[in-house]
Amino acid sequence: MKTFMATPQEVTRDWYLIDAAGVPLGRTAAEAARLLRGKHKPEYTPHVDSGDFIVVVNADKAILTGKKLEQKFYRRHSGYPGGLRETKYRILMETRPELALELAVKGMIPRTTPGRKAMTRLKVYSGNEHPHKAQNPTVWKIGGLS
C-alpha cells in the first residue's frame, strides 16, 4: 500500500463561514486555524498548503471567558527604547475585534511559508455583513459541519 501525498495542483479550496457570536474567541480561532491548514480534509499533507478560505463574521460578539477582558493585554513594540504599548482586551474588543480574532488565529498557525500564506485566506468582519457572498460560503458550526 502506498502512502498518499497531496500536491499543490490537487488542492481544491472551499469557502466556509463561521459565526463567532456567543462563542469563545479561542474556540473560534482554533476551528478557523484548523480549517485554514486543511486538517479537516482526509487528504491533509503537512508540507502542502491544502486549507480553505475562512470568513468569520460577528467578531465583535465573540466572548472572552473569565477575567480576560481586564487581565489580558495586547502588546506591541515599536523597536525603540520605551516603545512597548499595551492595550487591555476590553478596549481592543470595543475598537478592533477583528484584530483580536486574527491574532488568536495567527498564534495557532505555524510560522512557516505555508502558514503565512494560509493567513491571507482568513477574512474577519465585526458585523454580520461580508463581501464574499458571491463565493457562496458553506456555514461551519463550531464543532463540525452544520
Side-chain angles (χ1 to χ4, degrees), residues 24-82:
L25 182 89
R27 195 162 300 171
T28 305
E31 198 68 24
R34 188 171 148 265
L35 293 170
L36 281 174
R37 291 203 57 206
K39 291 186 112 178
H40 62 292
K41 296 181 178 182
E43 62 269 6
Y44 169 71
T45 308
H47 65 277
V48 175
D49 187 14
S50 60
D52 295 321
F53 288 90
I54 309 300
V55 178
V56 181
V57 294
N58 293 324
D60 55 342
K61 295 183 181 93
I63 57 173
L64 288 169
T65 58
K67 298 180 181 177
K68 291 187 191 92
L69 282 174
E70 294 301 323
Q71 293 179 349
K72 189 175 174 75
F73 286 94
Y74 163 57
R75 293 181 174 93
R76 63 190 190 281
H77 200 285
S78 67
Y80 290 98

Side-chain angles (χ1 to χ4, degrees), residues 10-28:
E10 297 170 344
V11 173
T12 58
R13 300 201 192 279
D14 298 323
W15 284 77
Y16 290 105
L17 177 72
I18 297 176
D19 189 2
V23 182
L25 182 89
R27 195 162 300 171
T28 305

Side-chain angles (χ1 to χ4, degrees), residues 107-120:
M108 299 177 187
I109 296 285
R111 284 115 180 114
T112 58
T113 304
R116 283 186 290 277
K117 206 170 161 188
M119 282 302 294
T120 63

Side-chain angles (χ1 to χ4, degrees), residues 123-145:
K123 318 294 183 196
V124 183
Y125 301 99
S126 61
N128 201 17
E129 297 298 316
H130 62 88
H132 307 287
K133 288 190 176 30
Q135 283 75 22
N136 198 13
T138 306
V139 176
W140 185 274
K141 290 220 183 244
I142 303 297
L145 193 59

